[in-house]
């Protein structure tokens, strides 16, 4: 293996895959980055057996890639990425000598890093002959961003740590719930295959960090055990979560007793302040009271103090309501909605309530109440 | 106590003093911020018995301070600072009601925080009738920045965790050493009193964060137990460290066997790369070999690999030299010097060596060698 390349191009490729490097592992090869130098490209891969990221570099005027000899090596990710970052901003040459010892050099600097036989690196899952689903990068990022926060953090019920992704009748739906809140977001597609999978929420959040901004295309592939997202030269592999995702369709209320319209920033500020005082309580309990045209948001803590504020109601239908809830959950939901105007629908103090962007049914946030005490 | 003020002004004052709030303490009042509202100003104080910071706010057109009733209260720092930061950017009103319950409100929001009787807050040290030493803010910041990193991190010998500050014959000298390296920086003053004190390095690093940039004046005061820095409306108190600072004057070599001049950025890059490979070794051992007009910087780790690079020598006097040292120490020293050209003076492989900015004797970095192995 021997090639030379502009430093920055290699740094970028290593940066892209680094999120899939195993952090705590007893299998040393998984904490490495695989470089495969072929006739006309370099393939850079990291794979911790849960998440795999692979990107490729082909020669351009900018990166000045010159391949002299194909071959492959696994290098310790932490050192390899720091070594190349700390090199002067110039052409660097890499080649593997005896015993997997790898030289990384510029005109004045010579690094040698102990590598590992590329044969030891695990194979990425195979996706031959699988239907693909096509999406825009910003649409996919938004589907993830508006739902992933609502997945469960604990492994008590593993399937809830994933986002349930369903494609049916040309509608793609993302659903996440930890049992106390639920977020769902759907978009219309054309010519989409029918499929369903539960993909780890954490992996999808990592995916958003490497998705290009704007309307670049992303292809999704699915097998029984893995999903694959391809955008540009980068491939993102995740394992799926086993188990049946709960049927959440029934818990989304179809009617309501109260419907309010409020300004998004005012509501966000009020919940943010109330959640601050509620922070030390078990369930971050924040209260809303709607009486006629006035909404009061409040919380109190015996040790810290209390807060109470009024939020203007732009429009109200139905009855007055008093309800308590986890302020942190509503804060997450409001941040995900990022709306100038919010529509909130209640069914009394003991039923879950719905928050949506006014005039937009594509994203729905459902929050369980906390009982009064 | 009752006053109103533009939010931002209060946020800034609390931000300034917050570094002196006790983080882990069994005495609750020390984790609070003292507000003293007088006839024409608000005095904001935090004091963890080691470090004390006090700043004052007087009425301006910008801050719109209006004092209605003097008084004082201690509020829990963590909540108080977050509460005011999260308030809308408008005029906020504060007043103390019964039982030290403090209301912080705007037109729509009402917070109440449990306060503590201001009588419980410790008194800051007194500095009546003490000589002052006058400095420019940027000069003081630079004196600290170029020396504080060389103080000891452990309390094995407490006096070494401080910077020894001496003023004699109109020369102000800062000295820091952990026993294996030493940094010293001096400036000339006029009309300066004679004094010496050992001030905790960590406290002085905190001071640099609140010193204004540029040539604003700073007044230094000293008693047997404390120092005080006053700049603008802010006062910064630190306790002194007891004990006799070692006499370091003899360990700075007055002659040398080798003198080199090298480019600062090239040297910094080479040491940075070598220190990376040396990172997992006990003493971060990096080697320099000077042979004729070529300097080679190298390090190796049995587990990771090795690095070797050449650094151009612009000028050399004296004999060749081979020496090993803690790469992390030299990296700190080079970053503190921040020089385009460096002069390095060696006295063989077993003596400490000196690094200075070429043509500038005011800052000196001395590094102990590591013996070959």
């Amino acid at each position: 293996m021997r090639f030379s390349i502009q430093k920055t191009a290699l740094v970028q490729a290593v940066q892209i895959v680094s999120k899939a490097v195993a952090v705590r592992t007893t299998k040393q090869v998984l904490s490495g980055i695989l470089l495969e130098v072929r006739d006309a490209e370099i393939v850079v891969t990291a794979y911790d057996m849960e998440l795999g990221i692979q990107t490729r570099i082909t020669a351009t005027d900018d990166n000045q890639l010159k391949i002299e000899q194909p071959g492959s090596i696994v290098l310790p990710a932490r050192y390899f990425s720091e070594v190349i970052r700390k090199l002067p901003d110039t052409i660097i040459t890499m080649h593997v000598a005896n015993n997997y010892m790898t030289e990384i050099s510029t005109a004045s600097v010579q690094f040698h890093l102990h590598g590992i036989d590329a044969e030891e690196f695990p194979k990425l899952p195979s996706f031959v002959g699988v239907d693909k689903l096509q999406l825009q990068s910003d649409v996919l990022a938004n589907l993830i961003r508006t739902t992933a926060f609502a997945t469960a953090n604990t492994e008590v019920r593993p399937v809830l740590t994933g986002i349930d992704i369903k494609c049916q009748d040309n509608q793609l739906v993302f659903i996440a719930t930890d049992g106390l809140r639920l977020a769902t977001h759907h978009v219309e597609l054309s010519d989409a295959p029918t499929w369903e999978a539960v993909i780890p929420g954490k992996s999808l959040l990592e995916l958003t960090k490497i998705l290009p901004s704007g309307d670049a295309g992303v292809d999704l592939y699915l097998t029984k055990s893995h999903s694959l997202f391809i955008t540009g030269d980068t491939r993102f592999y995740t394992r799926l979560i086993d188990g049946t995702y709960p049927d959440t369709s029934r818990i989304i209320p179809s009617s309501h007793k109260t419907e309010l319209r409020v300004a998004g920033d005012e509501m966000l500020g009020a919940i943010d302040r109330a959640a601050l005082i509620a922070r030390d309580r078990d369930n971050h309990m924040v209260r809303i009271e709607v009486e006629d045209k006035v909404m009061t948001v409040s919380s109190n803590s015996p040790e810290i103090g209390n807060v109470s504020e009024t939020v203007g109601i732009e429009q109200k239908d139905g009855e007055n309501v008093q309800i308590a809830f986890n302020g942190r959950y509503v804060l997450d939901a409001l941040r995900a909605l990022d709306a100038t105007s919010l529509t909130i629908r209640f069914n009394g103090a003991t039923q879950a309530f719905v928050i949506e962007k006014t005039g937009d049914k594509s994203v729905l946030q459902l929050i369980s109440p906390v009982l009064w005490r």
Side-chain angles (χ1 to χ4, degrees), chain A:
Chain A
M1 185 190 105
R2 184 187 288 271
F3 68 92
S4 61
I5 190 169
Q6 171 64 35
K7 167 203 166 165
T8 322
L10 192 57
V11 168
Q12 275 172 2
V14 167
Q15 173 69 25
I16 288 172
V17 305
S18 63
K19 283 295 178 184
V21 171
V23 180
R24 278 174 293 279
T25 177
T26 49
K27 219 178 155 195
Q28 206 194 340
V29 72
L30 300 185
S31 63
I33 288 175
L34 171 66
L35 293 184
E36 293 169 286
V37 179
R38 298 176 183 162
D39 288 340
E41 66 177 4
I42 301 178
V43 182
V44 183
T45 310
Y47 185 33
D48 67 4
M49 305 303 286
E50 167 117 359
L51 194 67
I53 309 178
Q54 183 173 75
T55 192
R56 54 199 65 225
I57 313 173
T58 47
T60 64
D61 285 351
D62 275 351
N63 69 30
Q64 295 181 61
L65 172 62
K66 273 192 202 134
I67 291 168
E68 293 180 40
Q69 198 190 331
S72 52
I73 191 76
V74 176
L75 292 172
R78 197 166 67 108
Y79 281 96
F80 178 47
S81 63
E82 281 206 60
V83 159
I84 56 176
R85 260 198 300 123
K86 283 184 190 290
L87 281 174
D89 195 3
T90 174
I91 298 291
I92 60 184
T93 301
M94 289 189 60
H95 85 102
V96 177
N98 291 332
N99 282 320
Y100 312 113
M101 185 62 114
T102 305
E103 184 175 298
I104 307 164
S105 59
T106 67
S108 62
V109 187
Q110 278 197 312
F111 273 101
H112 292 95
L113 289 182
H114 290 291
I116 299 175
D117 185 357
E119 289 299 314
E120 290 187 31
F121 202 82
K123 296 284 167 284
L124 286 167
S126 162
F127 280 81
V128 178
V130 172
D131 278 348
K132 79 174 165 193
L133 195 155
Q134 287 177 298
L135 268 180
Q136 270 180 217
S137 175
D138 51 3
V139 170
L140 176 59
N142 205 26
L143 282 161
I144 298 169
R145 200 183 55 75
T146 50
T147 54
F149 67 88
T151 56
N153 285 321
T154 62
E155 294 282 336
V156 176
R157 197 171 165 196
V159 79
L160 296 186
T161 64
I163 300 180
D164 182 40
I165 302 181
K166 267 188 266 201
C167 193
Q168 214 169 9
D169 306 330
N170 288 325
Q171 194 178 55
L172 178 67
V173 188
F174 278 46
I175 301 171
T177 179
D178 62 5
L180 292 169
R181 57 174 162 180
L182 177 144
T184 172
H185 188 164
H186 66 264
V187 292
E188 309 297 327
L189 298 178
S190 51
D191 299 326
T194 296
W195 57 263
E196 178 168 3
V198 184
I199 302 182
K202 276 185 194 160
S203 300
L204 290 170
L205 282 174
E206 290 302 339
L207 173 62
T208 61
K209 293 178 191 160
I210 60 170
L211 280 176
S213 56
D215 60 1
V218 184
D219 294 339
L220 281 68
Y221 297 85
L222 194 71
T223 65
K224 291 265 178 239
S225 58
H226 288 89
S227 66
L228 165 61
F229 300 77
I230 303 182
T231 179
D233 290 325
T234 301
R235 288 158 175 260
F236 188 95
Y237 297 80
T238 65
R239 71 166 179 83
L240 305 183
I241 302 180
D242 281 341
T244 308
Y245 202 81
D247 177 11
T248 57
S249 61
R250 293 195 193 163
I251 66 166
I252 298 172
S254 52
S255 62
H256 59 264
K257 294 182 182 165
T258 314
E259 185 177 83
L260 303 179
R261 207 178 66 212
V262 295
D265 55 350
E266 230 185 297
M267 187 70 186
L268 182 67
I271 297 291
D272 191 16
R273 290 183 279 271
L276 169 61
I277 295 297
R279 191 165 61 184
D280 282 355
R281 305 194 66 174
D282 279 349
N283 46 25
H284 300 260
M285 191 171 84
V286 169
R287 271 188 294 261
I288 284 181
E289 288 189 46
V290 177
E291 187 143 344
D292 301 330
K293 280 276 192 176
V294 180
M295 178 196 280
T296 307
V297 177
S298 65
S299 70
N300 75 74
S301 149
E303 294 81 33
I304 309 306
N306 58 63
V307 58
S308 170
E309 73 179 279
T310 53
V311 174
I313 295 177
E314 293 173 357
Q315 193 177 309
K316 179 189 166 202
D317 294 311
E319 60 192 42
N320 291 337
V321 64
Q322 298 192 344
I323 194 165
F325 50 83
N326 183 319
R328 172 58 48 189
Y329 282 4
V330 172
L331 197 57
D332 288 345
L334 296 182
R335 286 187 175 141
L337 286 168
D338 189 23
T340 48
S341 176
L342 294 164
T343 296
I344 310 177
R345 284 192 293 275
F346 298 98
N347 274 296
T350 57
Q351 303 290 314
F353 60 100
V354 166
I355 314 176
E356 287 179 344
K357 215 182 256 206
T358 301
D360 179 355
K361 295 263 172 204
S362 66
V363 189
L364 179 148
Q365 305 286 348
L366 182 74
I367 314 279
S368 248
V370 170
L371 299 183
W372 287 93
R373 60 170 188 186

